[in-house]
Structure formats: C-alpha cells, structure tokens
Amino acid sequence: MTSRPLRAVTVLAAAAALSVTASTASTASAASAHASRDTDRRTPRIVAAWAGAWNGTDPRALGALFTADGTYTDEAIAVTFRGREEISGWKARADSLIANVHVTVRATRVEGDRVTVRAVYSGHLKGAPKPFAVPMTTVLDLDAHHCRIESDQDHYSLATVLSQSGLPADWTPPAG
C-alpha cells in the first residue's frame, strides 16, 4: 500500500522538476532571443555617429563613416552612391535641398554585421509650404570590426514626404 503513494509522489515530483526545467529553459531562450533582436536600450556607436553626421553640417562626416568602397542607397528615389566622396556629395546635396535635415533614431536591431535602424527622417524641402517628418528604416551592413559602414539602404516613402511638404506627387528638385 505504501508503494503506490510513494510511486505517485515520485512521478509528481519528477513531472514538477521537468516542468520547472522546461519553463526555465524556455524563459532563458526567450530572453536570449529578445536580447539578440531588440537593442533599443543601447544604440550602437556607428548608428549614433551616422545620425550625428546626418544632423550635422559637414558632409564629409557622413562619408568618413563608410569603407572606401561603401555604398549608400536611397531606395525612395532609387539612387546609389559609391565611395566616400560620392556619399559626402549626397549629404551636401541633401543639405542644399532640405533645411534642417534631421534623423531621430527610435530603435536599433543588431544581427551580426547588420544593424537595422528605425528612425524619423525630417526637414523642410526648400520652397515647400510645410516641413515633413516620416518614418524611415535604414539597413546598415558593417565591416568585420563594426567600425565602418559597407552598405546603407534607406527606406522611406517619398510620396509621404511630398504630401506632408504640400508638394505635388510629381515634384522634382531643381537641378544643381
């Protein structure tokens, strides 16, 4: 008679131990997965430097963040710039067309050599009646040391920029 209750207690204790072990492993696994994909609490240095270069007035500061053969692609207008000089030129052109160009980083996600940045891109297109502030996602592929950008891909809605600015959908910037 004592063997049945004893066996029942042993089975229940083993089940409880397995449950705690599985729960702890599941919680640790979920925490680890969360940490690897969501780094909102700490912005990587290269992202802070990238945003600072966009928010600054020296176009060469942006180009200097890239590898010698780095690329910068603005997906909204389907243009790619190659090398530090072209990338610096793109920043200079942006500054000549947009007053108060500003990038506000909202969140980052680091996965290996890739950083995904969620941000707000804002400014005032010169000659437009109103300023704009649109969500933007940027994908930065970094070099092996994570100190230079090999590739930058900016994704935002040009239609929304123009609409918020009070400009027609077919507006194009002046040549120059």
Side-chain angles (χ1 to χ4, degrees):
M1 189 148 164
T2 57
S3 67
R4 248 187 197 174
L6 183 57
R7 187 170 42 216
V9 169
T10 303
V11 168
L12 288 174
L18 284 174
S19 174
V20 168
T21 302
S23 173
T24 303
S26 175
T27 302
S29 175
S32 174
H34 178 45
S36 71
R37 70 186 140 88
D38 189 5
T39 59
D40 291 349
R41 290 184 210 109
R42 201 180 98 220
T43 301
R45 260 186 255 169
I46 192 73
V47 174
W50 171 83
W54 267 114
N55 298 339
T57 57
D58 180 4
R60 293 171 298 180
L62 183 64
L65 297 174
F66 285 77
T67 59
D69 60 347
T71 61
Y72 192 110
T73 302
D74 185 320
E75 298 288 350
I77 59 172
V79 65
T80 298
F81 302 94
R82 289 170 176 47
R84 293 178 182 136
E85 189 174 323
E86 283 186 16
I87 293 166
S88 295
W90 172 237
K91 166 65 169 137
R93 174 88 168 132
D95 287 346
S96 73
L97 293 172
I98 306 168
N100 304 316
V101 171
H102 197 81
V103 173
T104 304
V105 174
R106 295 290 187 213
T108 59
R109 179 179 176 169
V110 179
E111 292 183 40
D113 295 337
R114 175 166 283 175
V115 181
T116 303
V117 181
R118 285 187 306 127
V120 174
Y121 172 46
S122 61
H124 194 142
L125 287 164
K126 293 180 180 173
K130 301 181 288 187
F132 67 89
V134 298
M136 175 174 71
T137 299
T138 296
V139 178
L140 301 174
D141 288 320
L142 308 178
D143 67 359
H145 302 291
H146 294 187
C147 60
R148 296 248 186 254
I149 301 167
E150 290 182 345
S151 170
D152 175 314
Q153 296 176 352
D154 287 352
H155 303 267
Y156 62 93
S157 170
L158 179 59
T160 304
V161 168
L162 296 175
S163 173
Q164 286 184 9
S165 297
L167 295 170
D170 62 350
W171 179 86
T172 57

